[in-house]
Amino acid sequence: MQSTQQVTREGSPPRTGSHEAVLRVRVEPDDVGTAGVIDGGKLLEWIDEVGHAVAASWSGRDCVVASVGNMHLDRPIGVGELVEVHAGLVYTGRSSMHILITVCSSDPTRAKAPQTSQCPIIFVAVDDSGNPVEVSPWTPVTMLELQRQRQARVRIPMRRRIEGAMAAEGYTVAGTAHRATLRFLAAATDVNCGGRVSGGQAMSWIDESARVCGAGWTGAHVITSYVTGIRFYRPISVGDAIDVTARIIHVGRRSVHIGIQVTTANANGAQPDLVAHAVAVVVSLDERGGARPVPPWEPSSEEDRRLDQHARQLIELRQFVEPFTTAAAVPAAHLSATSRHRITPAATAPPVRTATARRWAATAP
């Protein structure tokens, strides 16, 4: 069950729709993966769902996801936890809407929900033919909104630099690194209200291919701890056969960096189209929830060495990405199971604090 209503503030200018929304979920056994915690793909689906609700409400149009970046999971999320995914508009371009996603999760017995993740997601409003259309400009009101709008502006050139570096690299058969290719057929159950396959479903496929590749290399179950970026180039329609190829581009002491390309399947000899590309970092957890050492990998071909250097460049670049300002306090997290998958308006940005438990997240090369 979903609901999206207009959110207004005293003294605010008229708005096309709500600029904030919250998705509340209680984690059930069928939400978690083989590692016993929520997979990155499931969390990305929720992020897309609530982000799309804000973008569509604000623009009054169908919207497609253009990119997601710098999603760092501070800690894994298990069964029984209560998850609150908050989406807030932080910047509007001509046809784009930059939405900040904040994920809080906690045990129901805890009074406060530590921040688990924060990342920006960008949607573009489109017409019935899929062409970009203008959106109403958004004006920040509070000091927190002003700070986040400035940070969104500052992030734009760095995001383009990261996406440019990702787009400049190609994966060919010349590379010898471990890889995995999964094929998916876009079904009617995968589409959103605009009739296109949802970005969350595509991101779930990306995460699944990264985990299959990482598990094949480590010999153990892995989960996604960081998403450097996901860039979409074209929407996916029902009936499209999609190939998602993931390959190792760098291995650290406790992390495996994986490059992913999403293409249309090569049918009848047709040249496949690039749908999206991404870079993700996966880790394998030990019995205490920490990231365990992974088998080393040495690039052996020219392409392997180039992509390894590319991964190291992305590690350097993300150190210069300015984090978004977090609110001062923490919201109450006593959410009932009946609030599962319910999107509700948020009168204010959810107050959060930065979590300190990062021992499982792999950020070092």
Side-chain angles (χ1 to χ4, degrees), residues 191-277:
V191 303
N192 56 24
C193 56
R196 301 176 181 86
V197 172
S198 69
Q201 180 61 69
M203 288 187 283
S204 178
W205 294 341
I206 288 171
D207 176 74
E208 184 176 349
S209 67
R211 288 187 289 108
V212 169
C213 181
W217 178 255
T218 63
H221 296 308
V222 298
I223 61 174
T224 302
S225 70
Y226 191 88
V227 177
T228 298
I230 302 174
R231 181 70 168 90
F232 289 91
Y233 295 102
R234 58 166 291 242
I236 303 172
S237 301
V238 173
D240 285 350
I242 302 297
D243 285 341
V244 187
T245 300
R247 58 156 292 169
I248 291 175
I249 60 175
H250 174 74
V251 173
R253 295 184 296 274
R254 291 179 171 82
S255 61
V256 181
H257 297 235
I258 297 174
I260 306 106
Q261 284 196 323
V262 183
T263 61
T264 55
N266 190 351
N268 301 322
Q271 183 68 24
D273 292 330
L274 181 64
V275 175
H277 67 240

Side-chain angles (χ1 to χ4, degrees), residues 70-88:
N70 296 292
M71 186 186 80
H72 183 189
L73 297 179
D74 288 333
R75 65 178 186 84
I77 302 172
V79 173
E81 291 198 51
L82 301 175
V83 179
E84 183 172 289
V85 186
H86 175 272

